[in-house]
Amino acid sequence: MTDAVVVGAGHNGLVAAAYLARAGLSVEVLERRDVVGGACVTEELWPGVYASPGAYTVSLLRAEIVSELELARHGLRIEPHEPYLFAPLPDGRKVVTWSDRARTREQLEADWSRADAHAYADWAERWDRAAERARPLLLEPADRERWLGAVGPEILEGSIADELRGIPSEEVRVPFAIQGLIGTLAGPDDPGTAFVAFYHELGEAAGEPGAWGYARGGMGAVTGALRSAAEAAGATVRTEAPVERVLVADGRAAGVVLESGDEVAARVVLSNADPLRTARLAGGEPPDGWRQTGPVVKVMLLLDGLPDFPSWPGAEPWAGAIDVGFTLAELSAAAADARAGRPASAPWIEAACQTAVDDTLAPAGRHVLSLFCQCFPPDADADLAADAAVARFAEICPELPARILDRLALGPRELEERFGLTGGHIFHGDMLPGQLLEERPGPRRFAGIDGLYLAGSGAHPGGAVTGAPGYLAARAVLDDLG
């Protein structure tokens, strides 16, 4: 009998497997696809052209995990992307931020005003102090009182619009507000969006605290290194091994049955799948009222070159994240459209073009532009959404449409089919009030079943490529098995 079987080889499942194997347990990881990584993958989307159609940048992977699993030794290399954010406007103006706060302050003073620069610096200093206090809590069990003490109720429960209200120019506020809406069907005035933005400030994997970067070779380099670390510790990772159900005997998980009919008996089962899928596999009930309807359409564009932005010609702006959204009212309207079952009439976009800085992904003269687009209803037509996204991007980069050779469009349904994300939700469930901290599942006794541990992003502390849910699940298993 295997000590632990892990359902799904996403990044959290691989983190859990590595820690359990390093502790001496026998571990088997079962992945339904032919590639590990879940939504943290690098795939050959076109002949000789590789890209990350799911997660696309990295920051939040916990520094403790990178160090303890020696991921650099297993090939992981992360470099910060600069600029941090570039938000071009149709009238030729732009908002530019960098990983260095002082440089951003200087840029805002030069491009906008001293008042904007000083207000940004005050906000950033307050958030940086809170982030220092909060980072250690990501690898601890949920404790609302500790989080409140670390960050305060305004960040934990408030809106991102309120947090940014001190910055005079709305155009400067918008790209920061977008960070509070990532993967979330919400507008900037909605409660809880401040925490979504703050959560994205808690990374250290790209070097400077809060910086974001690219893993050389794409996001699959993250999960490739995690797989290597898990296998080096003794874990077995099997691809093309879809799990049909979790075996439950006398109220306790006893292993899994594969779609092939094979059974794998185990002392414990860890699921990297989302809460709804895990509940179905185990024949249990999901968390009551769990919200997991994703608002994202992901569009991958194959380009024959990099066009110029009128607001910033040349290659430099393509090296970082590019945000397209012009007013807070537009951001609110996009969420309202999707809630009413309509595609956003003016979708907002966070774009990234890793091929601009990573020559391992595509031949010379070819680039891949990733468009992360919101907000859309669950039944959105992905191709129509892609048309809207390209038209939207063309408002600030008119040359883009002429450079497109091909595209891949993934709406909520396609994200579910490709990556196994129920509802196409990148965080395995909303990260808003009612689904955070103690109100998000912990690792133990998922669906009331002993020996069944939730190890994916649906567990505390939540989504993005952090490794924290997998770490906490492994720690719970080791504590329980003694």
Side-chain angles (χ1 to χ4, degrees), residues 63-272:
E64 297 90 338
I65 294 171
V66 174
S67 174
E68 291 168 4
L69 299 185
E70 301 178 280
L71 296 187
R73 186 169 66 84
H74 292 280
L76 182 61
R77 175 183 162 193
I78 300 170
E79 296 289 343
H81 63 58
E82 301 289 2
Y84 180 94
L85 288 175
F86 162 49
L89 296 166
D91 62 8
R93 294 179 297 165
K94 63 184 183 294
V95 178
V96 179
T97 72
W98 308 91
S99 300
D100 180 80
R101 299 290 201 188
R103 187 179 181 188
T104 298
R105 186 181 66 246
E106 293 169 3
Q107 184 88 46
L108 292 176
E109 183 166 348
D111 291 345
W112 292 88
S113 72
R114 178 170 294 181
D116 285 300
H118 287 183
Y120 159 80
D122 289 345
W123 168 78
E125 183 180 2
R126 180 166 57 86
W127 273 38
D128 286 348
R129 289 197 304 267
E132 287 180 11
R133 296 189 294 267
R135 285 189 182 101
L137 302 182
L138 288 171
L139 293 183
E140 296 293 336
D143 187 329
R144 178 179 174 79
E145 292 307 311
R146 292 184 69 191
W147 275 90
L148 277 171
V151 308
E154 295 83 3
I155 290 176
L156 194 60
E157 301 166 347
S159 75
I160 188 60
D162 282 344
E163 283 293 296
L164 298 170
R165 205 170 298 281
I167 299 175
S169 297
E170 181 180 7
E171 296 91 341
V172 175
R173 281 180 262 149
V174 167
F176 296 112
I178 284 175
Q179 305 314 301
L181 311 179
I182 296 287
T184 304
L185 183 54
D189 291 303
D190 288 336
T193 52
F195 182 76
V196 176
F198 179 77
Y199 185 81
H200 284 84
E201 294 282 325
L202 298 179
E204 297 174 295
E208 188 80 14
W212 284 76
Y214 292 124
R216 186 162 178 82
M219 293 301 288
V222 175
T223 42
L226 287 168
R227 177 182 186 169
S228 178
E231 291 179 329
T236 298
V237 180
R238 293 171 55 187
T239 57
E240 298 181 282
V243 171
E244 179 182 86
R245 60 188 172 92
V246 175
L247 286 169
V248 180
D250 298 323
R252 182 175 182 83
V256 299
V257 179
L258 304 184
E259 289 183 4
S260 65
D262 293 344
E263 294 188 7
V264 179
R267 296 170 67 194
V268 296
V269 176
L270 296 86
S271 177
N272 192 167

Side-chain angles (χ1 to χ4, degrees), residues 211-382:
W212 284 76
Y214 292 124
R216 186 162 178 82
M219 293 301 288
V222 175
T223 42
L226 287 168
R227 177 182 186 169
S228 178
E231 291 179 329
T236 298
V237 180
R238 293 171 55 187
T239 57
E240 298 181 282
V243 171
E244 179 182 86
R245 60 188 172 92
V246 175
L247 286 169
V248 180
D250 298 323
R252 182 175 182 83
V256 299
V257 179
L258 304 184
E259 289 183 4
S260 65
D262 293 344
E263 294 188 7
V264 179
R267 296 170 67 194
V268 296
V269 176
L270 296 86
S271 177
N272 192 167
D274 63 76
L276 299 182
R277 187 174 297 269
T278 300
R280 287 199 299 270
L281 290 173
E285 291 296 322
D288 188 43
W290 189 251
R291 305 186 305 275
Q292 194 174 317
T293 300
V296 175
V297 172
K298 187 75 185 291
V299 182
M300 309 297 291
L301 301 177
L302 176 64
L303 309 180
D304 65 2
L306 295 179
D308 278 335
F309 293 98
S311 61
W312 191 357
E316 188 175 11
W318 290 101
I322 303 162
D323 279 5
V324 182
F326 311 136
T327 70
L328 295 175
E330 282 184 347
L331 304 184
S332 295
D337 282 340
R339 285 170 174 152
R342 303 183 301 267
S345 59
W348 61 260
I349 300 168
E350 182 158 282
C353 185
Q354 185 171 348
T355 52
V357 294
D358 186 344
D359 61 9
T360 69
L361 296 171
R366 293 290 184 268
H367 288 280
V368 178
L369 178 61
S370 161
L371 305 179
F372 180 98
C373 315
Q374 287 183 222
C375 295
F376 297 90
D379 61 351
D381 183 307

